[in-house]
Amino acid sequence: AFDYSDKTLALFAEAMKYALEYQAKKSSFLKKYYKTLGFKPESLKKYSELERAPFVFVNGLKERDLTTINKK
């Protein structure tokens, strides 16, 4: 079960912020998408703000080769 303590939620929010910043750096499409929506990953400070992050279907990333990890 997930531990919903303040510490765990803060760590999760920090990890999500890092992931969103990383994706924006590695994908010009996502960088433009975030900019168009007025979203800045660095603006996320706490768990309750994660709902502001734009939703992107994983399948859409794969179909359009927008993955941000190195392929093996």
Side-chain angles (χ1 to χ4, degrees):
F2 187 78
D3 173 17
Y4 286 93
S5 68
D6 290 341
K7 181 180 178 181
T8 303
L9 294 177
L11 288 170
F12 181 76
E14 185 179 334
M16 288 299 298
K17 176 182 171 181
Y18 175 82
L20 292 165
E21 288 175 330
Y22 178 85
Q23 291 171 343
K25 288 178 187 173
K26 295 289 187 174
S27 169
S28 60
F29 172 82
L30 289 174
K31 185 176 184 175
K32 289 176 192 174
Y33 179 61
Y34 294 165
K35 186 176 181 178
T36 299
L37 297 174
F39 173 72
K40 296 180 181 180
E42 63 273 11
S43 71
L44 296 175
K45 304 293 183 210
K46 53 188 176 180
Y47 180 80
S48 62
E49 297 174 347
L50 290 177
E51 63 187 25
R52 292 189 293 117
F55 186 81
V56 179
F57 285 100
V58 172
N59 201 31
L61 296 172
K62 292 176 182 177
E63 286 178 359
R64 291 165 183 80
D65 196 25
L66 299 174
T67 55
T68 55
I69 57 175
N70 294 331
K71 295 178 182 174
K72 293 183 179 182

